[in-house]
Amino acid sequence: MAKMTMVQALNLALKQEMAQDDSVVLLGEDVGPDGGVFRVTDQLIDIYGKERVIDTPLAESAIVGMGIGMAIHGLKPVCEIQFSGFAYQNFHQLENHAARMRWRTQGRLTVPMVMRAPYGGGVRALEHHSESREAYWAHTPGLKMVIPSGPRNARALLVAAIRDPDPVIFYEAKGLYRAFREEVPEEEEVMEIGVPQLVQEGDDVTFISYGAMLRPALEAAEQLAAEGINVEVIDLLTISPLDDRLLIESVKKTGRAVIVHEAPRSFGAGAEIVSRLLEGAFYYLEAPVQRVTGYDIVIPYFSREKAYMPDTARIIKAARATLNT
Amino acid sequence: MPRSRIDIPETIHYLSILDEHGVLDTELEPQIDDKTLIALYSAMLLGRRFDERMLDLQRQGRIGTFPPIKGQEAAQIGSIFQLKSTDWFVPAFRETAAEIWRGRSLESILLYYNGFNEGTIIPADQRDLPMAVPVGSQILHATGLGYAARYRGTDEIVMTYFGDGATSEGDFHEGLNCAAVYQAPVIFICQNNQWAISIPLKQQTHSATIAQKALAYGMPGIQVDGNDVLAVYTAAQEAAERARNGDGPTLIECVTYRVMMHTTADDPSRYRDDEEVERWRQKDPLTRFAVYLQNKGLLDQSREQEIETEVLAKIQTAVDSAEKQMKTLGEPLDMFNHLYAKMPPSLQCQKEEVRQYLANNTGEVHHG
Ligand SMILES: Cc1ncc(C[n+]2csc(CCOP(=O)(O)OP(=O)(O)O)c2C)c(N)n1
Ligand SMILES: [Mg+2]
C-alpha cells in the first residue's frame, strides 16, 4: 500500500477505472495537459489520449449537458466542474434532465454520470471558491450526493460513483486535497454508496459529520476523551439518499447528538438529520440535538473565514451543551 | 426557388494603427490631444507597475491569489477612456487597470485580494459593478443596464469586459443576442488573451475570429490589435458614438496576450512554451506607445522618469495605507451585515450567538 493524498487517491481511481472500462471518459475545463487545477486528472491524458480526457470549452452547461448525452449513449462520463461554485451554470441540466431521465422514460434511458467538484472553505480562496452547497443537490430527487472525508474512502467511493447506474454528484473538500496522506491499496477497493460509516465507538454522545468537517469532529472527540467523555463518530459519506439507520441506532444508545457541517445551517443536511432522529429516536433523546454549522450568510472573504468555519472549540461547546457540563 | 447567396449586412474589420515596432499608420491615427495621450500612457503604466507590485506582494505572502493583467493594459485603457463618469462599467476579473482608471482605489484592490469584504465597497458616485468571478455572468448585467438606461431616457452607455474563454458560456450568447434585440447601448469588450487557463483559443472556438460572432446576433463586430492603444481607442470611440446615438451594441475583440500565469496559483509551464510568450512580449503595448509619444515629442527620458516616479509613489502610498487599514479591519461580526436590507430575526440570533461565543472564548469585545 502506498501513502497517498486525496488528490493522488482520486487520480488512482480514475486511472484504474479508465484502464478496465473504455466507456469511462473524463470531461471538463483544464483536465488535459494541465491535469485539472488541483491535478486530480494529472497525466491521464498522456495515458488515455484526448478523446477520453476531454478538455472542453469554458461552459459548465456544455460539460454536464454533453455528459448526459454521452451517458445515454452508454458511456460513463466523469464530468469535472472546476469549482462547485460554478456548477450553478449547469444546474438545469442536472435538475431537469440527469436526475429524472430514468423516471421520465420509465427506465428506458439512464444517465450513469458523475459530476465531480471541489467544494468548501478554509483555504484562503477567492470569492465563489469556498461555498458548501451540497443541500441543493441533496434536495433534487434522482441524484446521489456523495462527499468523502479522506484519501482512502475518496478513492473507493469514486470507483463506486463511476459504476453507479444513476447520476452521482461527488464533492471533494479542497481543504482535504493535500491535508494528509492515508494508506490506499493498489488493488481495487469499492465502497457502497448510501452507507454511513461508524468511525469511532462511544456511549456518551454521537457526532455526525462528513467531508472536511469530519477531522475537527474527530479532534473534538479526542479532546473530550481526555475528560472521560466517549464520543461516537459517524461519517455520513453519502448525504443523499440518506440512510438513517446507523444514526438512529447510535442516538438510541447515546441519547445525544451533534451534527457538524460547514454549509449554512438553515435547510442544510443537519436539519434533515435532526428530523430523522426525532422520527426514529425521539424517546431516547436526553437533550436537544446540536448543530455546529456555517451561518446563514455568504461565506465571508478569507480574512473572516475562520470565524465562519466550524472548529474543534465550537464542536466541544456543542457537545457540552448536550451533556449539560 | 433558387439556391442563392444571402448577404449579411455587416463585414468584419481588423484594425491596427501602431504596430509592434512602433510604426504608425498616419491615415488611421486618431486625433487625441497631448494631455489625453499622456493620461493614457500614465494609466497604462500605473496598471503595469501595480500589477508587478501585487505579484511581489503575493510572493511574499502579503496578499492572496490574484490574476495578473500584464500585457493587457492597452486593451483596457484604450477602451475604458471612452466612458464618462455617468456611464456604466461592468468588469470581469482581469481589468485591474480599467478599474483603477474608473476610480477604484489601489487600497481597495489590495484589501480585496487580502480577503477583506471592505475591498468591494463601491463609492456612491461610481457607476461600476464589482468584479465578476463567475466567467461570463456579468455580460447579461450589462445588457440589462443598457436596457434600463434607454428606458429611463438617459444617454448613458455601458461597457462590459470578458475573456476569450467567456465567449463559450451561454451567458455571452444570451447577453449579445438580447442587447441586439433591444438595441441596448452596450459595448462588449472581449480581451482575447489567447488562453483560458490552459485552454488555447483554437480549442475554445472553431470560429476564425471572436469578432465575427457579432454577425450572428446582428450587431457590428470588429477585431483590433489589443496591444495597440490607438486601435483600441478608435474602435471603442466608434462603438461609443453608435451606442450614444441609439444605434445599438458593438462587439470589440481585442487581440492581446496573457504574458503571465492565469492566477498566482497557476503554473503555465504545464501547458504552453516560453517561446510563444517571448514572441508576445515583443509586442508589448507600453513599449510601442512610448515610442509613439517620443516621436511626437511628448515623452523624453526625464518626463518618462517623472511619470514612473509618480506612479511608484502612488503605489507605495497605497500599499502602506492598505496594510495599515488591514490591522484595524476584520471584525468577524461584520460578516452578518449587508446580506439583507433588514437583518431577519433568525440572523440576528446567529450574530448574537457568534458575539457571545467570541466573547467567552477570546475575551475580546466585538461591536459588529
Ligand atoms: C463559470 C466559471 N467557470 C469556471 C471558472 C474558473 N475560471 C476562472 S477564469 C477561467 C478562464 C477564463 O478565461 P477567459 O475568459 O479567457 O479570461 P482570462 O482568464 O483569460 O482573462 C476559468 C476557467 C469561473 N471563474 N467561472
Ligand atoms: Mg483568456
Side-chain angles (χ1 to χ4, degrees), chain A residues 44-54:
Chain A
L44 297 180
I45 193 165
D46 303 332
I47 308 173
Y48 300 112
K50 60 184 174 38
E51 313 256 280
R52 290 185 71 193
V53 180
I54 308 163

Side-chain angles (χ1 to χ4, degrees), chain B residues 94 163-165 191-197 258:
Chain B
R94 203 185 298 283
D164 43 302
Q191 294 198 76
N192 170 8
N193 63 6
Q194 314 301 324
W195 291 90
I197 310 188
R258 195 196 83 211

Side-chain angles (χ1 to χ4, degrees), chain B residues 21-151:
Chain B
H21 310 292
V23 178
L24 177 73
D25 184 326
T26 47
E27 273 178 30
L28 292 173
E29 183 186 9
Q31 295 313 304
I32 307 176
D33 65 63
D34 294 354
K35 216 174 125 221
T36 306
L37 285 171
I38 289 295
L40 283 163
Y41 177 78
S42 304
M44 285 167 64
L45 190 72
L46 178 58
R48 168 73 52 96
R49 294 289 178 256
F50 186 56
D51 201 58
E52 291 169 345
R53 186 64 191 276
M54 287 215 291
L55 189 60
D56 284 346
L57 292 172
Q58 196 280 334
R59 293 311 190 213
Q60 294 163 14
R62 288 158 72 188
I63 62 170
T65 309
F66 85 99
I69 63 152
K70 193 174 201 160
Q72 300 184 209
E73 297 87 353
Q76 296 178 28
I77 296 300
S79 48
I80 199 73
F81 252 67
Q82 302 302 338
L83 283 198
K84 302 177 185 171
S85 60
T86 47
D87 295 329
W88 293 83
F89 167 53
V90 184
F93 50 82
R94 203 185 298 283
E95 281 81 38
T96 314
E99 290 194 81
I100 297 170
W101 175 254
R102 286 291 286 180
R104 183 171 180 194
S105 71
L106 306 185
E107 284 91 331
S108 106
I109 297 168
L110 293 168
L111 290 181
Y112 178 75
Y113 287 119
N114 248 314
F116 288 93
N117 287 64
E118 288 82 352
T120 35
I121 296 172
I122 300 160
D125 56 349
Q126 237 172 282
R127 292 182 160 183
D128 299 354
L129 265 53
M131 287 174 32
V133 171
V135 169
S137 55
Q138 74 284 3
I139 297 172
L140 281 153
H141 310 159
T143 300
L145 284 163
Y147 185 97
R150 287 282 303 275
Y151 169 77

Side-chain angles (χ1 to χ4, degrees), chain A residues 29-30 37 58-60 81-83 85-87 89 127-129, chain B residues 67-68 72 92-95 132-137 162-167 169 190-199 204 258 262-263:
Chain A
E29 293 157 12
D30 307 288
V37 295
L58 209 175
E60 291 73 19
I81 297 300
Q82 200 160 79
F83 288 91
F86 308 125
Q89 272 78 344
E127 56 180 329
H128 302 287
H129 291 75
Chain B
Q72 300 184 209
F93 50 82
R94 203 185 298 283
E95 281 81 38
V133 171
V135 169
S137 55
F162 46 89
D164 43 302
T167 66
E169 288 280 7
C190 178
Q191 294 198 76
N192 170 8
N193 63 6
Q194 314 301 324
W195 291 90
I197 310 188
S198 73
I199 307 300
Q204 196 67 248
R258 195 196 83 211
H262 166 69
T263 68

Side-chain angles (χ1 to χ4, degrees), chain A residues 81-107:
Chain A
I81 297 300
Q82 200 160 79
F83 288 91
S84 59
F86 308 125
Y88 316 121
Q89 272 78 344
N90 58 255
F91 203 109
H92 72 113
Q93 288 292 351
L94 288 167
E95 167 68 36
N96 295 333
H97 297 297
R100 58 179 81 184
M101 191 60 76
R102 178 189 297 280
W103 182 82
R104 286 175 62 217
T105 63
Q106 300 288 288

Side-chain angles (χ1 to χ4, degrees), chain A residues 126-183:
Chain A
L126 274 174
E127 56 180 329
H128 302 287
H129 291 75
S130 302
E131 285 75 8
S132 191
R133 293 285 188 270
E134 58 276 15
Y136 288 156
W137 311 118
H139 201 71
T140 298
L143 298 180
K144 295 182 179 177
M145 173 76 237
V146 174
I147 306 188
S149 61
R152 187 163 182 170
N153 60 37
R155 187 281 193 102
L157 283 167
L158 183 54
V159 171
I162 295 170
R163 296 181 188 178
D164 200 281
D166 287 309
V168 178
I169 310 299
F170 194 88
Y171 266 20
E172 300 161 6
K174 287 187 284 299
L176 294 180
Y177 269 147
R178 293 187 170 79
F180 62 99
R181 289 169 186 267
E182 268 177 359
E183 300 282 354

